[in-house]
C-alpha cells in the first residue's frame, strides 16, 4: 500500500488577498475577508490554500516587497487575524500555505535602510554591494545594479530597484531568514510558496553574463535582453539551499514547499533533490502556462512531466497565476489574442475551460488553481499609463500591441481584479464606493452565485471533479500511463493504484468522437452526450469521460462499478 505525503496529493487554490473579499469596506481584500470565504473554498473541494503575501510592505509590488516578515500590512489585518486564519483553515480540515519572499526585501526594510547608510554598519554586508557593477541584467531588463549615494556603492536587485537582494553568502542573513520561516511554521503554517527561489544565489565572483541572441525570455529559456543569466540564476549553491530549506521545514513535520523557478526542466528539477525528493517538495513548471488547446500539446506535456518528475517526485499542473494571463485568454475569443480561434464563442470557451479543469484535476500531479478560474474569470484591459503594477511603467517605449502579439502579460493588474462573487455592486467583493482595481465588467454574467445554481456550470464541474478526486485514491496517488490508438484530438490516460484502474478520455476537438475500448464502467461524464455503451465510447465535442476499467492484477479483485456522476 502506498501513501504519499499530503503535499504530493493535495489540491491548491491560490488567493490574491487584495482581490478576494473585502470585509471592512475599504475597497481592498483582507484576511478577515478570506476567513469569511473559507467555507466557499472548502465546499468547492480544495484542500490547500496558498495566499500571496500580506506582510508589512510599502506595496510597491503589492506585497512582494516586504518590510516586516512577521507582521501584517494594516490594510490586510493584524497578526491576530493571520493566526485566526491559520486556525480557521485547520478547523475546516484545510492546509494553509504562505508566500515567502526569500530573495529580496523592500528597500524600506530596516535591514536595508541600515545597510545602505555606510560600508561598516552592522548590516553592511546583508545585501549585495559592489564598487563597480558587473554586466548583469535584472529579470525585467536593464542593469540590476543601483547606485546608493550614501554609501557610494551599487546594490544588486534581481527584480525591481526597490527590491534589493539579500546576501545569502552572509551566514547571519541565512539564519535570520530561516528563523522567519521557523516563526511561521511554529505558528502552524503548512508550508510555503517560494518567490523567485532560483535567483537567491548569484556568482560569488560576479563574472559577467555571456551574450545571447534571445530578446524575450521563455519559461524554458530564461535568456533575455541579449544576455544569458548564467551567473545570476540557478547557481549550484541554490540547489544546496533548497535542501537546507527543506530540512528546516522537516523540523516541523510534513510541510509543503513549492518553488517559483525557471530555466528548463532539467535544471529546475534539481531543486527537488537528485535521486530522492530531499529538496523542495514541489516546483512550478511554467512552460504549461503557454498551453495550446490540443490533445497533442497535452500528451506531450504529460510525457515530459512524467519523464522529469517521476515518483518519488510529483509534478504541479498550473495554468495561471497573479503574473500571467488567465487561462480563458488562451481558450479563444479573447480579441486581443491575434491567434485566437475564430470559433471562440463564449459557450465554446466554457466547454474548453471545463475540459481543461478535467485534465488538471485528473492527471498525475498537484493541481494549482488561481482564484476566479473556477468561474472562468477573464483578463481585464487597462491602459498601461495608469497601471498600479510597476512593470508596464518600465516599458513605455514600446506600444502595447507588441506585448499582445507576443502573448506577454505586462500589466498584471489585468489578472488581479476583484473576485466576482455575485451580480450586485462591485460583484459582491466590497461595499466600498470604489475598489482598488475595477471589477471586470462581465461580473453580472460571470459570478459565483450564478454558477452555484447552474447544474453544469464551470464552477459545479470543478466541484464535481474535485469530489471524485477526493473519493478516488487512485486519482490522487495512482501512477499514470498514456493510452495509445485513440482518434485524433482525443487524449487518454490511465491512473493505476492497488489493483484499481481509472481511465480518463478527453476530446480536445469540437467534433464528436466514437471509438472502441476495453470493457469499462462510467464514473463521470463532462456532458450528457458523453457516454459509454457496449464497449463503444461516444465523446461530444470537448467532451470527457472518467471510466473504471478492469485491471488484471493477480489476486486482486476488480472493484464493482459505482453509478456515474455528472457535474450536477
Ligand atoms: C514573483 C512574483 C511576482 C513578483 C516578483 C518579485 O515573480 O510572482 O508577483 O513581482 O516575484 O517578487
Amino acid at each position: 500500500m502506498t501513501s504519499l505525503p499530503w503535499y504530493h496529493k493535495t489540491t491548491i487554490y491560490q488567493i490574491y488577498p487584495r482581490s478576494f473579499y473585502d470585509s471592512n469596506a475599504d475597497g481592498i481584500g483582507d484576511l478577515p475577508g478570506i476567513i469569511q470565504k473559507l467555507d466557499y473554498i472548502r465546499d468547492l473541494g480544495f484542500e490547500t490554500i496558498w495566499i500571496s503575501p500580506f506582510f508589512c510592505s510599502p506595496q510597491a509590488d503589492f506585497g512582494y516587497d516586504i518590510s516586516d516578515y512577521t507582521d501584517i500590512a494594516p490594510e490586510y489585518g493584524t497578526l491576530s487575524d493571520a493566526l485566526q486564519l491559520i486556525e480557521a483553515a485547520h478547523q475546516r480540515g484545510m492546509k494553509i500555505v504562505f508566500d515567502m519572499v526569500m530573495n529580496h526585501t523592500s528597500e524600506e526594510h530596516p535591514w536595508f535602510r541600515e545597510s545602505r547608510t555606510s560600508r561598516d554598519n552592522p548590516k553592511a554586508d546583508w545585501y549585495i554591494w559592489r564598487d563597480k557593477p558587473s554586466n548583469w541584467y535584472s529579470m525585467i531588463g536593464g542593469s540590476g545594479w543601483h547606485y546608493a549615494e550614501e554609501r557610494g556603492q551599487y546594490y544588486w536587485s534581481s527584480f525591481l530597484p526597490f527590491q534589493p537582494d539579500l546576501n545569502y553568502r552572509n551566514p547571519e542573513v541565512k539564519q535570520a531568514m530561516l528563523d522567519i520561516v521557523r516563526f511561521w511554521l511554529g505558528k502552524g503554517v503548512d508550508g510555503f510558496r517560494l518567490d523567485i527561489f532560483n535567483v537567491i544565489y548569484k556568482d560569488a565572483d560576479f563574472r559577467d553574463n555571456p551574450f545571447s541572441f534571445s530578446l524575450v525570455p521563455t519559461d524554458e529559456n530564461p535568456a533575455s535582453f541579449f544576455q544569458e543569466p548564467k551567473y545570476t540564476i540557478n547557481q549550484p549553491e541554490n540547489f544546496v539551499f533548497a535542501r537546507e530549506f527543506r530540512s528546516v521545514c522537516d523540523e516541523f513535520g510534513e510541510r509543503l514547499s513549492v518553488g517559483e523557478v525557471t530555466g528548463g526542466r532539467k535544471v529546475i528539477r534539481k531543486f527537488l533533490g537528485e535521486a530522492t525528493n530531499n529538496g523542495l517538495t514541489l516546483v512550478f513548471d511554467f512552460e504549461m502556462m503557454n498551453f495550446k488547446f490540443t490533445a497533442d500539446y497535452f500528451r506531450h506535456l504529460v510525457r515530459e512531466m512524467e519523464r522529469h518528475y517521476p515518483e518519488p517526485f510529483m509534478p504541479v499542473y498550473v495554468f495561471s497565476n497573479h503574473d500571467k494571463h488567465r487561462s480563458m485568454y488562451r481558450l479563444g475569443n479573447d480579441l486581443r489574442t491575434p491567434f485566437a480561434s475564430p470559433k471562440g464563442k463564449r459557450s465554446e470557451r466554457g466547454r474548453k475551460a471545463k475540459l481543461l479543469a478535467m485534465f488538471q484535476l485528473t492527471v498525475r500531479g498537484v493541481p494549482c488553481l488561481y482564484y476566479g478560474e473556477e468561474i472562468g474569470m477573464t483578463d481585464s484591459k487597462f491602459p498601461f499609463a495608469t497601471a498600479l503594477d510597476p512593470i508596464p511603467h518600465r516599458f513605455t517605449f514600446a506600444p502595447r500591441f507588441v506585448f499582445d502579439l507576443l502573448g506577454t502579460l505586462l500589466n498584471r493588474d489585468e489578472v488581479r481584479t476583484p473576485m466576482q462573487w455575485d451580480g450586485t455592486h462591485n460583484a459582491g467583493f466590497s461595499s466600498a464606493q470604489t475598489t482598488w482595481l475595477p471589477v471586470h465588467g462581465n461580473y453580472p454574467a460571470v459570478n459565483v452565485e450564478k454558477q452555484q445554481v447552474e447544474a453544469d456550470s464551470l464552477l459545479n464541474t470543478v466541484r464535481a471533479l474535485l469530489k471524485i478526486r477526493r473519493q478516488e485514491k487512485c486519482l490522487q496517488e495512482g501512477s499514470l500511463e498514456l493510452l495509445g490508438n485513440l482518434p485524433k484530438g482525443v487524449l487518454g490516460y490511465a491512473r493505476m493504484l492497488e489493483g484499481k484502474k481509472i481511465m480518463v478520455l478527453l476530446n480536445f476537438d469540437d467534433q464528436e468522437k466514437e471509438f472502441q475500448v476495453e470493457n469499462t464502467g462510467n464514473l463521470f461524464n463532462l456532458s450528457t452526450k458523453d457516454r459509454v455503451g457496449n464497449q463503444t465510447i461516444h465523446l461530444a465535442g470537448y467532451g470527457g469521460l472518467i471510466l473504471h476499467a478492469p485491471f488484471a492484477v493477480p489476486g486482486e479483485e476488480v472493484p464493482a462499478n459505482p453509478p456515474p456522476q455528472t457535474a450536477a
Side-chain angles (χ1 to χ4, degrees), residues 256-292:
L256 181 151
S257 48
V258 56
E260 184 195 24
V261 289
T262 51
R265 291 197 173 115
K266 266 207 195 92
V267 178
I268 64 178
R269 161 70 171 69
K270 292 190 188 168
F271 286 104
L272 298 173
E274 294 292 339
T276 59
N277 178 214
N278 61 354
L280 303 184
T281 64
L282 299 163
V283 293
F284 288 122
D285 188 314
F286 287 139
E287 189 273 333
M288 69 181 81
M289 295 255 193
N290 305 316
F291 69 85
K292 292 189 188 63

Side-chain angles (χ1 to χ4, degrees), residues 6-7 97 190-194 242 245-246 249 255-259 272 279-283:
W6 71 267
Y7 50 70
V97 167
D190 298 291
F192 303 97
R193 176 267 187 187
L194 297 160
F245 187 90
R246 169 64 177 273
C249 288
R255 303 293 168 113
L256 181 151
S257 48
V258 56
L272 298 173
L280 303 184
T281 64
L282 299 163
V283 293

